[in-house]
Amino acid sequence: MKRSLLAIAALITTLAATAATHTCRYFTIDTPDDSWTVTPDHGLGDMGARMMVSRNDGTQGLTHLARIDYVDRPFTPASYLTAQVVNKRDNFTHSAINIGTVADTTFAGYNAKCVNFDKDANGSIYHFAAIAFNAGWGTYFIIQGQQDDAATIVGRITSSIKPVVPVQPTSLAQLVAAGKESLARRRAAWDDGGEKLMAVSLPDDATVQLDIEVPFVTAEAIDLATFIQTKRKNWIKHRKEVALRDGIIDLAKKEGRSIKYVYRETRGKEIGTMVILQEEIRD
C-alpha cells in the first residue's frame, strides 16, 4: 500500500511538472504536456493579447498550432472572419487556400462563427479552422490546425480556452459602467466609415445617449437635415451588424428607453443629434 501511494504521488508530481496553465488578462489556456511551446505575444498592445501554442515532431517540423487573439473591440464575428480570413487581411492567412464559407458554431459556451482553410508550407498541407466570437466588450479570434498527416489533437488545446471577461451587462447602467474602462483606453470603432464611439451615458430615465465622433466632417460644411436623414437610413439598415449596437438596442428595448445619438466633430464640437424612439427600436 505504501509503495502504491508513493507511485501515485510520483505520477501526480510528473503530471504537474508537464501540464501547465497559461494566463493573460483576457483568457487562460492549458497545455496537456511539455511537448507544446507557448509563446506570449503582446504585439496587439492595448488592443488585447495574443498567445501562440505549437508542437513539432522533434525535427523542428511544426505539426500542430493554435493562435488565440483577444481584440478589445466589439467586432461582429462573421464580418471579422470575412475581413481577416476570407479577404486574407491577417498575416497568417496571406497564403491560405481552399477557403470555405463562414458558418455558425459554438465555442467555449458562446455563439460563434467559423471558417475552414488550408495552407501549403514547405510542401506540407495544414488544415485550419478560424473561430470568432464576442465576449464582454471584445472579440476572440482563434486559429487552430495541424499538418495533413498529423493526428487531430490541437482541439485538446483550444477546448481548454477560458475567456476572462466580466459578467455580461443585464442593464444599460451595467453596460455604461463596463464600457468606461474600454472607452477610456480607446474609442471603439463604430463602423467602416471610421466613426468612433466616444461615450455611453444615461442622461435621464427615458434615454440612453451615445456620443459619436465623425472624422473629416465639420458642422459648417454639411446640411444637417440630409446628414441626419442618412444616419437614420443607415441605422435601420445596419443596426444588427455590430455586437455593441446589438447590446444597446436589446437593453434599450428591454428598459423602454429611446436612443439618442450625439454626433461630434473630431475636436468635440457638436454637429447634430438623432433620436431613435421606442417604437422604432421595437420594429
Side-chain angles (χ1 to χ4, degrees):
M1 176 66 72
K2 189 172 184 180
R3 288 181 179 177
S4 297
L5 292 174
L6 289 173
I8 292 172
L11 176 60
I12 293 173
T13 302
T14 301
L15 291 174
T18 56
T21 298
H22 306 272
T23 302
C24 73
R25 179 178 177 181
Y26 303 103
F27 55 84
T28 64
I29 187 169
D30 297 327
T31 55
D33 55 59
D34 58 6
S35 65
W36 294 84
T37 300
V38 180
T39 307
D41 180 358
H42 302 292
L44 294 175
D46 66 358
M47 279 286 288
R50 171 176 294 169
M51 191 174 290
M52 296 280 290
V53 185
S54 59
R55 190 175 75 163
N56 62 48
D57 58 8
T59 61
Q60 304 306 310
L62 191 66
T63 57
H64 302 92
L65 168 73
R67 192 188 100 193
I68 308 99
D69 293 0
Y70 174 83
V71 186
D72 188 12
R73 190 173 291 181
F75 290 104
T76 304
S79 61
Y80 194 73
L81 285 180
T82 298
Q84 301 300 315
V85 179
V86 178
N87 296 336
K88 301 183 179 181
R89 185 178 297 175
D90 189 278
N91 290 336
F92 190 84
T93 62
H94 284 175
S95 58
I97 57 176
N98 303 326
I99 300 174
T101 57
V102 177
D104 294 326
T105 189
T106 57
F107 192 89
Y110 292 86
N111 293 327
K113 298 290 184 178
C114 67
V115 60
N116 296 316
F117 65 95
D118 296 333
K119 287 188 70 171
D120 184 346
N122 300 320
S124 295
I125 298 296
Y126 291 81
H127 301 295
F128 288 93
I131 300 167
F133 63 93
N134 295 120
W137 279 62
T139 304
Y140 286 82
F141 179 50
I142 299 161
I143 295 176
Q144 57 182 3
Q146 58 281 317
Q147 275 188 8
D148 187 38
D149 57 351
T152 304
I153 191 174
V154 72
R156 290 173 60 186
I157 295 291
T158 53
S159 64
S160 75
I161 295 173
K162 302 176 184 66
V164 180
V165 295
V167 175
Q168 295 282 30
T170 58
S171 69
L172 283 169
Q174 291 177 0
L175 186 147
V176 169
K180 284 183 178 179
E181 181 183 356
S182 177
L183 294 175
R185 292 195 305 271
R186 180 195 55 265
R187 297 170 185 172
W190 193 244
D191 63 16
D192 291 336
E195 293 186 0
K196 299 184 186 302
L197 177 63
M198 299 168 64
V200 184
S201 59
L202 301 176
D204 53 55
D205 292 339
T207 309
V208 54
Q209 178 172 313
L210 287 75
D211 287 72
I212 307 292
E213 178 186 286
V214 185
F216 316 118
V217 170
T218 61
E220 294 79 14
I222 65 169
D223 177 80
L224 183 58
T226 301
F227 177 83
I228 296 299
Q229 183 181 36
T230 300
K231 292 299 178 187
R232 184 174 293 277
K233 288 181 179 179
N234 286 339
W235 189 91
I236 295 170
K237 182 178 180 181
H238 299 296
R239 69 179 185 173
K240 294 298 183 183
E241 292 186 3
V242 177
L244 182 57
R245 285 178 178 167
D246 286 351
I248 291 173
I249 291 170
D250 291 343
L251 290 173
K253 184 188 302 184
K254 172 184 172 183
E255 297 182 14
R257 292 178 183 263
S258 299
I259 304 177
K260 181 180 181 180
Y261 294 83
V262 178
Y263 296 101
R264 299 184 182 278
E265 301 175 358
T266 301
R267 61 179 181 268
K269 180 180 178 181
E270 184 176 316
I271 297 173
T273 63
M274 175 180 72
V275 176
I276 305 296
L277 300 175
Q278 257 296 300
E279 51 266 33
E280 296 176 282
I281 296 173
R282 289 193 297 265
D283 288 342

